[in-house]
Amino acid sequence: MKLDVFTLFPEAFDWFRGQRPVRKAIEAGAEFNTRDFRDWTPLKGGRVDDTPYGGGAGMVLRVDVVDAALEGVFGDGDRPRTIVLSPAGRLLDEPLVSELVQEPAIALLCGRYEGFDQRVHDHLADDEVSIGRYVLAGGELPAMVLADALMRRMPGALGDPASAIEESYSEALDGLPEYPHYTKPPEYRGWGVPDVLVSGDHGKVRQWRRQQSEARGDSPEGHRRD
Ligand code: ADE
């Protein structure tokens, strides 16, 4: 897959690009590019935004700037599936990741300030994706979240591909959260490890893990220490 992330802050992705699964996916043929809107803007002085029609606070990223950036990178031929990161978008979950990972190429648009001119959503983007119902200062962190979820699914990204098979929300677990893991020491400060895991009975271990996944699936608020 080829990922192109359009942003005003390409340097925000330097850390992400250096992460092992991302490096491995890139070595195995995936592409991860950042594109700076300012490199393509047709406006003077690297301008990319303007004040909102109708008044109000903040600045809005311009549709002509976004279109120029997409055209500069992809030409006037086919554009990849283009996704705006937006708090109001479709909530990101594993089924959506599984759908998107089938795409040969994806463009991610990261907004800042008051976001994009609505015509970006209506005419340039195919989808809007949200990483949760809260508002962040920009689309860079959400784009990294989505890119991470995609890149780790690419061939070569994970040291042991088996670790991606039975993980939370995978098909192997029927979409349930993953079961708990334990490792040495077998006892720490009086906190033990479930006997079944050290019993050597693989059938019982499988059964226990399944029960644990189901119990976690029944409490979608996640774990609380009480
Ligand atoms: N931009 C700002 N907040 C966001 C969120 N929660 N999800 C996606 N994009 C965003």
Side-chain angles (χ1 to χ4, degrees), residues 66-68 70-71 74-82 123-124 126:
V66 177
D67 199 27
L70 289 167
E71 188 160 329
F74 302 121
D76 21 293
D78 282 351
R79 289 182 181 176
R81 185 156 170 183
T82 300
H123 302 289
L124 299 179
D126 300 297

Side-chain angles (χ1 to χ4, degrees), residues 93-124:
D93 58 9
E94 208 57 30
L96 179 54
V97 174
S98 300
E99 179 191 322
L100 294 177
V101 84
Q102 311 293 330
E103 297 285 343
I106 288 181
L108 301 179
L109 307 182
C110 305
R112 279 264 150 182
Y113 322 122
E114 290 306 300
F116 293 101
D117 184 300
Q118 183 58 33
R119 290 166 290 183
V120 171
H121 299 259
D122 295 345
H123 302 289
L124 299 179

Side-chain angles (χ1 to χ4, degrees), residues 71-183:
E71 188 160 329
V73 172
F74 302 121
D76 21 293
D78 282 351
R79 289 182 181 176
R81 185 156 170 183
T82 300
I83 297 172
V84 186
L85 282 310
S86 154
R90 174 173 166 191
L91 278 178
L92 182 62
D93 58 9
E94 208 57 30
L96 179 54
V97 174
S98 300
E99 179 191 322
L100 294 177
V101 84
Q102 311 293 330
E103 297 285 343
I106 288 181
L108 301 179
L109 307 182
C110 305
R112 279 264 150 182
Y113 322 122
E114 290 306 300
F116 293 101
D117 184 300
Q118 183 58 33
R119 290 166 290 183
V120 171
H121 299 259
D122 295 345
H123 302 289
L124 299 179
D126 300 297
D127 307 88
E128 282 181 29
V129 170
S130 167
I131 64 160
R133 295 289 182 241
Y134 44 83
V135 181
L136 300 171
E140 284 73 20
L141 288 171
M144 259 180 262
V145 168
L146 175 52
D148 185 302
L150 291 170
M151 296 294 273
R152 68 189 299 286
R153 297 275 292 268
M154 301 203 185
L158 300 182
D160 178 0
S163 52
I165 294 173
E166 232 182 56
E167 66 179 3
S168 292
Y169 314 115
S170 61
E171 265 178 46
L173 289 181
D174 295 329
L176 291 168
E178 204 181 3
Y179 44 79
H181 298 280
Y182 293 86
T183 187

Side-chain angles (χ1 to χ4, degrees), residues 47-66:
R47 182 119 202 227
V48 291
D49 56 6
D50 222 312
T51 51
Y53 283 127
M59 300 294 275
V60 178
L61 290 165
R62 289 175 51 137
V63 62
D64 50 351
V65 170
V66 177

